[in-house]
Amino acid sequence: MKFSVTVTLKKDVLDPQGKVVQNTLLDMGMHNLKSIRQGKFFEIEVQETDPKIGEKKVNEMCEKLLVNLIIEDYKINKI
Amino acid sequence: MKSSVIVFPGSNCDRDIASALEKMQFKNQMVWHKETSLPKSDLIVIPGGFSYGDYLRSGAIAGKSLIIDEVIKFANSGCLVLGICNGFQILTETGLLKGTLLRNKNLKFINRDVNIKVVNNKTKFTSKYNLNQILKINIAHNEGNYFTDPNHLNILEKENLIALKYCNENGEVDEQSNPNGSLKNIAGIFNSKKNILGMMPHPERMVDQLVSNTDGVNLFNSLLN
């Protein structure tokens, strides 16, 4: 069973990398661009048949290691 | 006084701090991160470097290594723990120090000597310095931008837990003298019991006039006291 985890910086945490990417895209003429936040993506496979238990395990991985809860938010999706 | 320096794959200031400790008459031992017990020590130092290549987040993987459980027990029993640079990042990842170190605001790795000010000299780490003494100490980091929530920042200020602040050569703490975007120019903090110090500047690089200056010496003298 596979899950994806997307980790992004919290709204009020400055994201200088995202800002630089945004400014570059604007310089390249992408004038419709409103904002960019850069994040991380994990693809996680767990040995589990029950999706609820699988998600719980992935959630534990996020809280214990993958995410720094002080500055980051995360979303788990089954894929 | 006995000290132990924890070594991770990717630590690169471990021998510098060891030689500084020995120069200051500490009896030092190196401890590999896979050990599950600590030698008898009065001080544990987590050195600078790039443990695990900064994978995931700086200090995140080292913060879960085998020896860290022992360091946490040691720290919680009130013994002295010093984290320098990557060591500070590791201490925040273990939860021994609150907050985190974000990427430098200008997105650049900064390696230069900066002025810092001793904001609290009533601790075991800083007692040999004068209050508001200005030191010139080297910083070398990519993630030194200290961040924490407003509630914790308030506690840091109220309980005098900020150890060091970036300043200019006149001791003024302002935006121009903040190299990395740290909240309130913070360069180092204590835990609430003040037995743990995390700092981005490298005092171990400042113990010999021949190679730099001796502004770091009194940190070690304070610990010996």
Side-chain angles (χ1 to χ4, degrees), chain A residues 8-34:
Chain A
T8 47
L9 283 171
K10 285 190 172 161
K11 211 173 65 205
D12 44 354
V13 177
L14 181 73
D15 174 18
Q17 289 187 85
K19 225 30 256 141
V20 168
V21 174
Q22 179 178 337
N23 290 343
T24 306
L25 284 170
L26 284 170
D27 289 347
M28 289 163 72
M30 315 284 182
H31 297 300
N32 295 336
L33 172 61
K34 255 180 102 177

PDB file of all heavy atoms in Angstrom, chain A residues 8-34:
ATOM      1  N   THR A   8       5.058  21.053   3.557  1.00  0.00           N
ATOM      2  CA  THR A   8       5.274  22.461   3.170  1.00  0.00           C
ATOM      3  C   THR A   8       5.553  23.296   4.420  1.00  0.00           C
ATOM      4  O   THR A   8       5.160  22.919   5.517  1.00  0.00           O
ATOM      5  CB  THR A   8       4.033  23.053   2.474  1.00  0.00           C
ATOM      6  OG1 THR A   8       2.882  22.705   3.244  1.00  0.00           O
ATOM      7  CG2 THR A   8       3.880  22.539   1.063  1.00  0.00           C
ATOM      8  N   LEU A   9       6.198  24.417   4.217  1.00  0.00           N
ATOM      9  CA  LEU A   9       6.429  25.325   5.351  1.00  0.00           C
ATOM     10  C   LEU A   9       5.103  25.954   5.757  1.00  0.00           C
ATOM     11  O   LEU A   9       4.261  26.238   4.904  1.00  0.00           O
ATOM     12  CB  LEU A   9       7.416  26.421   4.951  1.00  0.00           C
ATOM     13  CG  LEU A   9       8.890  26.017   4.900  1.00  0.00           C
ATOM     14  CD1 LEU A   9       9.709  27.140   4.286  1.00  0.00           C
ATOM     15  CD2 LEU A   9       9.421  25.696   6.290  1.00  0.00           C
ATOM     16  N   LYS A  10       4.905  26.162   7.038  1.00  0.00           N
ATOM     17  CA  LYS A  10       3.682  26.808   7.521  1.00  0.00           C
ATOM     18  C   LYS A  10       3.547  28.200   6.922  1.00  0.00           C
ATOM     19  O   LYS A  10       4.541  28.816   6.545  1.00  0.00           O
ATOM     20  CB  LYS A  10       3.719  26.903   9.049  1.00  0.00           C
ATOM     21  CG  LYS A  10       3.465  25.579   9.694  1.00  0.00           C
ATOM     22  CD  LYS A  10       3.253  25.708  11.177  1.00  0.00           C
ATOM     23  CE  LYS A  10       2.803  24.352  11.681  1.00  0.00           C
ATOM     24  NZ  LYS A  10       2.937  24.134  13.073  1.00  0.00           N
ATOM     25  N   LYS A  11       2.297  28.652   6.912  1.00  0.00           N
ATOM     26  CA  LYS A  11       1.971  29.908   6.237  1.00  0.00           C
ATOM     27  C   LYS A  11       2.829  31.099   6.702  1.00  0.00           C
ATOM     28  O   LYS A  11       3.294  31.896   5.901  1.00  0.00           O
ATOM     29  CB  LYS A  11       0.483  30.211   6.475  1.00  0.00           C
ATOM     30  CG  LYS A  11      -0.177  30.960   5.340  1.00  0.00           C
ATOM     31  CD  LYS A  11      -1.684  31.075   5.562  1.00  0.00           C
ATOM     32  CE  LYS A  11      -1.922  31.928   6.774  1.00  0.00           C
ATOM     33  NZ  LYS A  11      -3.093  31.817   7.533  1.00  0.00           N
ATOM     34  N   ASP A  12       3.058  31.187   8.001  1.00  0.00           N
ATOM     35  CA  ASP A  12       3.770  32.381   8.486  1.00  0.00           C
ATOM     36  C   ASP A  12       5.291  32.178   8.591  1.00  0.00           C
ATOM     37  O   ASP A  12       5.991  33.016   9.138  1.00  0.00           O
ATOM     38  CB  ASP A  12       3.189  32.863   9.824  1.00  0.00           C
ATOM     39  CG  ASP A  12       2.919  31.727  10.782  1.00  0.00           C
ATOM     40  OD1 ASP A  12       3.078  30.573  10.351  1.00  0.00           O
ATOM     41  OD2 ASP A  12       2.553  31.976  11.941  1.00  0.00           O
ATOM     42  N   VAL A  13       5.789  31.048   8.056  1.00  0.00           N
ATOM     43  CA  VAL A  13       7.243  30.850   8.040  1.00  0.00           C
ATOM     44  C   VAL A  13       7.777  31.306   6.685  1.00  0.00           C
ATOM     45  O   VAL A  13       7.263  30.905   5.646  1.00  0.00           O
ATOM     46  CB  VAL A  13       7.615  29.371   8.277  1.00  0.00           C
ATOM     47  CG1 VAL A  13       9.129  29.177   8.179  1.00  0.00           C
ATOM     48  CG2 VAL A  13       7.108  28.909   9.626  1.00  0.00           C
ATOM     49  N   LEU A  14       8.793  32.157   6.730  1.00  0.00           N
ATOM     50  CA  LEU A  14       9.380  32.679   5.499  1.00  0.00           C
ATOM     51  C   LEU A  14       9.966  31.533   4.673  1.00  0.00           C
ATOM     52  O   LEU A  14      10.646  30.673   5.189  1.00  0.00           O
ATOM     53  CB  LEU A  14      10.484  33.679   5.867  1.00  0.00           C
ATOM     54  CG  LEU A  14      11.197  34.360   4.703  1.00  0.00           C
ATOM     55  CD1 LEU A  14      10.277  35.383   4.051  1.00  0.00           C
ATOM     56  CD2 LEU A  14      12.477  35.026   5.172  1.00  0.00           C
ATOM     57  N   ASP A  15       9.674  31.514   3.376  1.00  0.00           N
ATOM     58  CA  ASP A  15      10.175  30.477   2.484  1.00  0.00           C
ATOM     59  C   ASP A  15      11.069  31.133   1.427  1.00  0.00           C
ATOM     60  O   ASP A  15      10.624  31.425   0.317  1.00  0.00           O
ATOM     61  CB  ASP A  15       8.977  29.759   1.833  1.00  0.00           C
ATOM     62  CG  ASP A  15       9.410  28.767   0.779  1.00  0.00           C
ATOM     63  OD1 ASP A  15      10.579  28.365   0.764  1.00  0.00           O
ATOM     64  OD2 ASP A  15       8.552  28.391  -0.038  1.00  0.00           O
ATOM     65  N   PRO A  16      12.337  31.394   1.788  1.00  0.00           N
ATOM     66  CA  PRO A  16      13.193  32.134   0.849  1.00  0.00           C
ATOM     67  C   PRO A  16      13.404  31.411  -0.479  1.00  0.00           C
ATOM     68  O   PRO A  16      13.467  32.060  -1.526  1.00  0.00           O
ATOM     69  CB  PRO A  16      14.509  32.300   1.607  1.00  0.00           C
ATOM     70  CG  PRO A  16      14.445  31.433   2.796  1.00  0.00           C
ATOM     71  CD  PRO A  16      13.031  31.072   3.045  1.00  0.00           C
ATOM     72  N   GLN A  17      13.450  30.066  -0.451  1.00  0.00           N
ATOM     73  CA  GLN A  17      13.637  29.334  -1.718  1.00  0.00           C
ATOM     74  C   GLN A  17      12.440  29.534  -2.636  1.00  0.00           C
ATOM     75  O   GLN A  17      12.584  29.789  -3.829  1.00  0.00           O
ATOM     76  CB  GLN A  17      13.799  27.840  -1.450  1.00  0.00           C
ATOM     77  CG  GLN A  17      15.103  27.481  -0.816  1.00  0.00           C
ATOM     78  CD  GLN A  17      15.267  25.975  -0.727  1.00  0.00           C
ATOM     79  OE1 GLN A  17      15.708  25.334  -1.666  1.00  0.00           O
ATOM     80  NE2 GLN A  17      14.887  25.409   0.403  1.00  0.00           N
ATOM     81  N   GLY A  18      11.252  29.415  -2.062  1.00  0.00           N
ATOM     82  CA  GLY A  18      10.038  29.625  -2.846  1.00  0.00           C
ATOM     83  C   GLY A  18      10.004  31.024  -3.445  1.00  0.00           C
ATOM     84  O   GLY A  18       9.617  31.232  -4.590  1.00  0.00           O
ATOM     85  N   LYS A  19      10.449  31.985  -2.632  1.00  0.00           N
ATOM     86  CA  LYS A  19      10.454  33.391  -3.067  1.00  0.00           C
ATOM     87  C   LYS A  19      11.379  33.584  -4.274  1.00  0.00           C
ATOM     88  O   LYS A  19      11.038  34.263  -5.244  1.00  0.00           O
ATOM     89  CB  LYS A  19      10.986  34.216  -1.903  1.00  0.00           C
ATOM     90  CG  LYS A  19      10.450  35.432  -1.429  1.00  0.00           C
ATOM     91  CD  LYS A  19       9.335  36.112  -1.298  1.00  0.00           C
ATOM     92  CE  LYS A  19       8.303  37.005  -1.436  1.00  0.00           C
ATOM     93  NZ  LYS A  19       6.997  36.527  -1.264  1.00  0.00           N
ATOM     94  N   VAL A  20      12.569  32.965  -4.207  1.00  0.00           N
ATOM     95  CA  VAL A  20      13.533  33.108  -5.302  1.00  0.00           C
ATOM     96  C   VAL A  20      12.992  32.455  -6.578  1.00  0.00           C
ATOM     97  O   VAL A  20      13.084  33.023  -7.676  1.00  0.00           O
ATOM     98  CB  VAL A  20      14.904  32.497  -4.908  1.00  0.00           C
ATOM     99  CG1 VAL A  20      15.816  32.377  -6.114  1.00  0.00           C
ATOM    100  CG2 VAL A  20      15.567  33.343  -3.838  1.00  0.00           C
ATOM    101  N   VAL A  21      12.375  31.284  -6.434  1.00  0.00           N
ATOM    102  CA  VAL A  21      11.797  30.596  -7.592  1.00  0.00           C
ATOM    103  C   VAL A  21      10.682  31.459  -8.192  1.00  0.00           C
ATOM    104  O   VAL A  21      10.589  31.650  -9.413  1.00  0.00           O
ATOM    105  CB  VAL A  21      11.252  29.201  -7.181  1.00  0.00           C
ATOM    106  CG1 VAL A  21      10.525  28.545  -8.340  1.00  0.00           C
ATOM    107  CG2 VAL A  21      12.396  28.306  -6.712  1.00  0.00           C
ATOM    108  N   GLN A  22       9.866  32.022  -7.300  1.00  0.00           N
ATOM    109  CA  GLN A  22       8.767  32.881  -7.744  1.00  0.00           C
ATOM    110  C   GLN A  22       9.289  34.092  -8.522  1.00  0.00           C
ATOM    111  O   GLN A  22       8.821  34.388  -9.620  1.00  0.00           O
ATOM    112  CB  GLN A  22       7.984  33.341  -6.513  1.00  0.00           C
ATOM    113  CG  GLN A  22       6.829  34.267  -6.829  1.00  0.00           C
ATOM    114  CD  GLN A  22       6.069  34.648  -5.561  1.00  0.00           C
ATOM    115  OE1 GLN A  22       6.114  33.938  -4.573  1.00  0.00           O
ATOM    116  NE2 GLN A  22       5.357  35.752  -5.603  1.00  0.00           N
ATOM    117  N   ASN A  23      10.304  34.752  -7.949  1.00  0.00           N
ATOM    118  CA  ASN A  23      10.846  35.938  -8.620  1.00  0.00           C
ATOM    119  C   ASN A  23      11.456  35.595  -9.967  1.00  0.00           C
ATOM    120  O   ASN A  23      11.327  36.352 -10.929  1.00  0.00           O
ATOM    121  CB  ASN A  23      11.900  36.611  -7.735  1.00  0.00           C
ATOM    122  CG  ASN A  23      11.264  37.259  -6.517  1.00  0.00           C
ATOM    123  OD1 ASN A  23      10.049  37.479  -6.494  1.00  0.00           O
ATOM    124  ND2 ASN A  23      12.048  37.522  -5.496  1.00  0.00           N
ATOM    125  N   THR A  24      12.104  34.429 -10.051  1.00  0.00           N
ATOM    126  CA  THR A  24      12.712  34.017 -11.321  1.00  0.00           C
ATOM    127  C   THR A  24      11.630  33.771 -12.371  1.00  0.00           C
ATOM    128  O   THR A  24      11.751  34.208 -13.524  1.00  0.00           O
ATOM    129  CB  THR A  24      13.560  32.745 -11.112  1.00  0.00           C
ATOM    130  OG1 THR A  24      14.475  32.994 -10.063  1.00  0.00           O
ATOM    131  CG2 THR A  24      14.314  32.364 -12.374  1.00  0.00           C
ATOM    132  N   LEU A  25      10.559  33.076 -11.969  1.00  0.00           N
ATOM    133  CA  LEU A  25       9.474  32.807 -12.917  1.00  0.00           C
ATOM    134  C   LEU A  25       8.833  34.116 -13.391  1.00  0.00           C
ATOM    135  O   LEU A  25       8.496  34.264 -14.575  1.00  0.00           O
ATOM    136  CB  LEU A  25       8.423  31.884 -12.286  1.00  0.00           C
ATOM    137  CG  LEU A  25       8.828  30.409 -12.200  1.00  0.00           C
ATOM    138  CD1 LEU A  25       7.835  29.629 -11.349  1.00  0.00           C
ATOM    139  CD2 LEU A  25       8.925  29.772 -13.587  1.00  0.00           C
ATOM    140  N   LEU A  26       8.704  35.063 -12.457  1.00  0.00           N
ATOM    141  CA  LEU A  26       8.144  36.367 -12.846  1.00  0.00           C
ATOM    142  C   LEU A  26       9.071  37.060 -13.855  1.00  0.00           C
ATOM    143  O   LEU A  26       8.613  37.606 -14.859  1.00  0.00           O
ATOM    144  CB  LEU A  26       7.938  37.248 -11.611  1.00  0.00           C
ATOM    145  CG  LEU A  26       6.729  36.890 -10.739  1.00  0.00           C
ATOM    146  CD1 LEU A  26       6.761  37.670  -9.426  1.00  0.00           C
ATOM    147  CD2 LEU A  26       5.406  37.125 -11.457  1.00  0.00           C
ATOM    148  N   ASP A  27      10.383  36.971 -13.590  1.00  0.00           N
ATOM    149  CA  ASP A  27      11.370  37.553 -14.516  1.00  0.00           C
ATOM    150  C   ASP A  27      11.308  36.890 -15.888  1.00  0.00           C
ATOM    151  O   ASP A  27      11.652  37.491 -16.901  1.00  0.00           O
ATOM    152  CB  ASP A  27      12.798  37.393 -13.961  1.00  0.00           C
ATOM    153  CG  ASP A  27      13.043  38.308 -12.767  1.00  0.00           C
ATOM    154  OD1 ASP A  27      12.216  39.215 -12.546  1.00  0.00           O
ATOM    155  OD2 ASP A  27      14.040  38.099 -12.052  1.00  0.00           O
ATOM    156  N   MET A  28      10.890  35.588 -15.882  1.00  0.00           N
ATOM    157  CA  MET A  28      10.821  34.855 -17.155  1.00  0.00           C
ATOM    158  C   MET A  28       9.540  35.169 -17.915  1.00  0.00           C
ATOM    159  O   MET A  28       9.283  34.595 -18.970  1.00  0.00           O
ATOM    160  CB  MET A  28      10.905  33.344 -16.888  1.00  0.00           C
ATOM    161  CG  MET A  28      12.291  32.877 -16.444  1.00  0.00           C
ATOM    162  SD  MET A  28      12.240  31.244 -15.671  1.00  0.00           S
ATOM    163  CE  MET A  28      11.916  30.207 -17.089  1.00  0.00           C
ATOM    164  N   GLY A  29       8.729  36.013 -17.335  1.00  0.00           N
ATOM    165  CA  GLY A  29       7.525  36.439 -18.038  1.00  0.00           C
ATOM    166  C   GLY A  29       6.251  35.702 -17.645  1.00  0.00           C
ATOM    167  O   GLY A  29       5.225  35.827 -18.316  1.00  0.00           O
ATOM    168  N   MET A  30       6.289  34.915 -16.574  1.00  0.00           N
ATOM    169  CA  MET A  30       5.081  34.192 -16.132  1.00  0.00           C
ATOM    170  C   MET A  30       4.225  35.128 -15.270  1.00  0.00           C
ATOM    171  O   MET A  30       4.202  35.008 -14.040  1.00  0.00           O
ATOM    172  CB  MET A  30       5.474  32.949 -15.312  1.00  0.00           C
ATOM    173  CG  MET A  30       6.579  32.126 -15.907  1.00  0.00           C
ATOM    174  SD  MET A  30       6.000  31.146 -17.286  1.00  0.00           S
ATOM    175  CE  MET A  30       7.484  30.262 -17.719  1.00  0.00           C
ATOM    176  N   HIS A  31       3.572  36.062 -15.930  1.00  0.00           N
ATOM    177  CA  HIS A  31       2.925  37.138 -15.160  1.00  0.00           C
ATOM    178  C   HIS A  31       1.652  36.727 -14.438  1.00  0.00           C
ATOM    179  O   HIS A  31       1.155  37.467 -13.609  1.00  0.00           O
ATOM    180  CB  HIS A  31       2.666  38.337 -16.079  1.00  0.00           C
ATOM    181  CG  HIS A  31       3.949  38.909 -16.607  1.00  0.00           C
ATOM    182  ND1 HIS A  31       4.923  39.412 -15.770  1.00  0.00           N
ATOM    183  CD2 HIS A  31       4.445  39.013 -17.869  1.00  0.00           C
ATOM    184  CE1 HIS A  31       5.961  39.806 -16.487  1.00  0.00           C
ATOM    185  NE2 HIS A  31       5.693  39.573 -17.766  1.00  0.00           N
ATOM    186  N   ASN A  32       1.106  35.544 -14.763  1.00  0.00           N
ATOM    187  CA  ASN A  32      -0.097  35.100 -14.044  1.00  0.00           C
ATOM    188  C   ASN A  32       0.222  34.528 -12.664  1.00  0.00           C
ATOM    189  O   ASN A  32      -0.677  34.296 -11.860  1.00  0.00           O
ATOM    190  CB  ASN A  32      -0.827  34.020 -14.838  1.00  0.00           C
ATOM    191  CG  ASN A  32      -1.368  34.576 -16.142  1.00  0.00           C
ATOM    192  OD1 ASN A  32      -1.594  35.781 -16.238  1.00  0.00           O
ATOM    193  ND2 ASN A  32      -1.553  33.730 -17.125  1.00  0.00           N
ATOM    194  N   LEU A  33       1.484  34.310 -12.424  1.00  0.00           N
ATOM    195  CA  LEU A  33       1.914  33.681 -11.170  1.00  0.00           C
ATOM    196  C   LEU A  33       1.566  34.548  -9.960  1.00  0.00           C
ATOM    197  O   LEU A  33       1.868  35.731  -9.927  1.00  0.00           O
ATOM    198  CB  LEU A  33       3.438  33.468 -11.236  1.00  0.00           C
ATOM    199  CG  LEU A  33       4.129  33.002  -9.964  1.00  0.00           C
ATOM    200  CD1 LEU A  33       3.599  31.662  -9.499  1.00  0.00           C
ATOM    201  CD2 LEU A  33       5.636  32.919 -10.195  1.00  0.00           C
ATOM    202  N   LYS A  34       0.878  33.919  -8.998  1.00  0.00           N
ATOM    203  CA  LYS A  34       0.507  34.680  -7.800  1.00  0.00           C
ATOM    204  C   LYS A  34       1.461  34.405  -6.644  1.00  0.00           C
ATOM    205  O   LYS A  34       1.961  35.319  -6.015  1.00  0.00           O
ATOM    206  CB  LYS A  34      -0.921  34.314  -7.377  1.00  0.00           C
ATOM    207  CG  LYS A  34      -1.929  35.410  -7.737  1.00  0.00           C
ATOM    208  CD  LYS A  34      -3.318  35.040  -7.331  1.00  0.00           C
ATOM    209  CE  LYS A  34      -3.732  35.749  -6.057  1.00  0.00           C
ATOM    210  NZ  LYS A  34      -5.116  35.434  -5.696  1.00  0.00           N
TER     211      LYS A  34
END
